Amino acid sequence: MTNQPTADPRARKLAQHHHRIAEEGTPSPRPWNDLLPTEQNRLLWEASNWLRAAVEAGIAPPIDRPTPKHSAVWLDDEGFLYGEYQTVPSSDGDAILRLVWASEECSSKQELEDQGVEFRLIGWSE
């Protein structure tokens, strides 16, 4: 176990939520900030490994852009989808567009999966 926590902010969020869930129902739940640094680091290390496994399994996206041609897709806390709008000069990921359902023709998810397409659930939208 390394003493250096991950640079991926998702691992910290995962560790904090894991700790909160583990403390549910205890008589005196300890807030994250009350944990010793060694306890926080252990949870961060474990969360980093779980997050890495999720990325490698294809159920979570990598934190870094795979290639310059890739644009980020974001899901907000209300279920709305946004796509990164790449600008010249670069906005460093700050320019995003809300994505809307515009196609009048739908496809069969099952048929696409039968053709080898792999889908990844990223959230729910209304």
Side-chain angles (χ1 to χ4, degrees):
M1 189 162 62
T2 135
N3 291 331
Q4 200 66 359
T6 181
D8 188 335
R10 299 175 301 173
R12 176 170 293 280
K13 194 169 192 173
L14 186 62
Q16 289 171 335
H17 281 270
H18 173 74
H19 170 69
R20 181 188 51 78
I21 292 166
E23 293 281 312
E24 285 178 357
T26 61
S28 301
R30 294 181 303 159
W32 175 261
N33 290 334
D34 288 353
L35 296 178
L36 295 172
T38 53
E39 293 174 295
Q40 287 184 1
N41 281 341
R42 179 185 54 79
L43 290 168
L44 286 167
W45 182 81
E46 290 173 2
S48 295
N49 283 336
W50 279 109
L51 183 56
R52 178 181 170 196
V55 169
E56 289 181 11
I59 58 175
I63 192 69
D64 296 318
R65 182 185 314 275
T67 72
K69 292 183 179 183
H70 281 80
S71 295
V73 178
W74 299 97
L75 179 71
D76 73 12
D77 57 354
E78 295 181 25
F80 294 110
L81 292 169
Y82 294 82
E84 178 182 17
Y85 186 76
Q86 295 202 26
T87 61
V88 176
S90 175
S91 70
D92 295 319
D94 187 51
I96 61 174
L97 294 171
R98 183 155 170 217
L99 304 177
V100 295
W101 308 118
S103 176
E104 295 181 15
E105 182 180 322
C106 69
S107 300
S108 165
K109 182 175 175 270
Q110 185 60 58
E111 286 179 12
L112 291 170
E113 287 174 331
D114 291 345
Q115 295 170 19
V117 175
E118 289 186 32
F119 290 98
R120 186 172 27 228
L121 178 65
I122 61 168
W124 301 97
S125 180
E126 288 186 31

